[in-house]
Amino acid sequence: MSRFFSARLSALTPYTPGEQPRERKYIKLNTNESPFPPSPKAIAAAAEAAENLQLYSDPTCRVLTEQMAARYGVSPDEVLMTNGSDEVLNFAFMAFCDEDHPALFPDITYGFYKVFAALNRVPYREIPLREDFSVDLADYQGTSGTIFLANPNAPTGLAHAPQEIERLLRANPDRVVVVDEAYVDFGGESCIPLIHKYENLLVTGTFSKSRSMAGARLGFGIANAALIRDLDTIKYSTNPYNVNRMTAAAGLGVLADEDYTEKNCQAIIENRESAKTVLKNLGFEMTDSLGNFLFIRHPKKSGEEIYRELRERGILVRHFNQERIKDYNRITVGTKAEMEALLLALTEIVR
Ligand code: PMP
């Protein structure tokens, strides 16, 4: 830290992204990216948009916003497009949290929530998951503040049905509930239809996972128009051109190819479920993940050992050195061939 760094932020611990190694070719199952390339329509659209890079992007992201509204059955003023969903989440911390509205989220969840709270200097409280890693929504009753729930949660993959989230919304009409649906397309059920019933619901989503566009950085928020206007105020106060031309075009391209996305999601779901069966036969314990990842441990080997031995075999997974989950590894679901290599390696490791 230089002597010039703001004293207000001196205690900030930044988020640690998963490794992006260059020194060796790994089977990369550590950052929940899609193993499939982007839609050819997305690639072609991005290339065409590159011809106009001398011009700023459309700050209203009008065409993409309209297509998103049509895709999700909402109106364009209920949609905000962002630079990855990390950006809309950060905007939500800025817009809807303060001293009187602390951020509340599970003790085991997406690690960035804590960082956004610290960066924006808003108080936060981590609410412990149950022993089986499920969220007890009743724990949020009787608290006050803005609730952040990843649904499905990461890194556990456990999800709530929208009816359960709806009970939370109904009981807490005077505070914002943010439902982060980064992984919803792999078997979860979206809360987006609830935005017309609950003015305090913000649903966030991403093109990084199911739509194979992690490198393009495209995310979105869907909510009641008043909440979207608040987020827009933050956007125009930070970076009005937050979605670049190529990314907006790629987003339109992939939205015109929903069959491709659907087919890829089905392949991930199949690979995930068949891996669960094999892993159980090998003695692994796991959550019933609905994400594009598995969350597993083995009674005979530590999480750290499994992480290291997979790495030696050229397979990268994610290990979190966090008390309650250090026995586990989070493993992104890859192609059939990648999963075969993973399962072969894990068989050797635990035998
Ligand atoms: N939410 C959750 C739960 C995530 O795991 C991630 C990805 N790491 C994000 C949001 C952010 O993804 P992106 O910024 O790529 O949309």
Side-chain angles (χ1 to χ4, degrees), residues 170-340:
R170 205 179 307 122
N172 294 278
D174 295 322
R175 51 162 151 176
V176 173
V177 176
V178 180
V179 179
D180 172 352
E181 296 191 345
Y183 299 108
V184 78
D185 295 336
F186 304 102
E189 205 185 325
S190 177
C191 288
I192 291 173
L194 295 178
I195 66 143
H196 292 131
K197 237 168 128 183
Y198 300 95
E199 61 172 9
N200 57 328
L201 169 65
L202 167 64
V203 178
T204 66
T206 182
F207 281 52
S208 295
K209 318 290 178 186
S210 57
R211 294 191 171 105
S212 300
M213 274 179 45
R217 314 304 303 126
L218 187 62
F220 57 92
I222 297 187
N224 165 286
L227 288 193
I228 293 296
R229 275 197 302 278
D230 294 340
L231 295 169
D232 223 30
T233 300
I234 305 286
K235 171 183 124 168
Y236 280 96
S237 308
T238 50
N239 185 10
Y241 308 107
N242 61 337
V243 177
N244 74 68
R245 272 179 181 274
M246 291 180 294
T247 293
L252 276 174
V254 71
L255 278 182
D257 205 359
E258 285 288 79
D259 289 351
Y260 178 80
T261 298
E262 178 57 25
K263 183 175 74 84
N264 288 344
C265 290
Q266 277 313 322
I268 296 293
I269 292 169
E270 275 165 34
N271 296 352
R272 178 187 71 207
E273 294 308 313
S274 57
K276 280 180 187 168
T277 308
V278 178
L279 289 167
K280 279 178 193 158
N281 288 335
L282 290 172
F284 280 91
E285 295 161 7
M286 69 204 70
T287 55
D288 193 16
S289 171
L290 290 184
N292 64 340
F293 51 86
L294 297 154
F295 192 56
I296 67 169
R297 76 168 166 192
H298 198 277
K300 298 217 178 81
K301 282 234 155 156
S302 76
E304 170 87 49
E305 280 174 304
I306 290 174
Y307 165 81
R308 205 168 14 81
E309 292 182 34
L310 280 173
R311 196 186 163 96
E312 282 160 12
R313 289 170 170 79
I315 301 174
L316 269 191
V317 300
R318 188 97 197 246
H319 179 251
F320 298 92
N321 216 345
Q322 187 182 344
E323 198 40 49
R324 281 183 77 186
I325 57 171
K326 64 180 178 1
D327 287 344
Y328 284 79
N329 279 287
R330 189 198 69 191
I331 305 182
T332 305
V333 177
T335 60
K336 247 196 175 80
E338 287 171 330
M339 296 312 276
E340 274 164 20

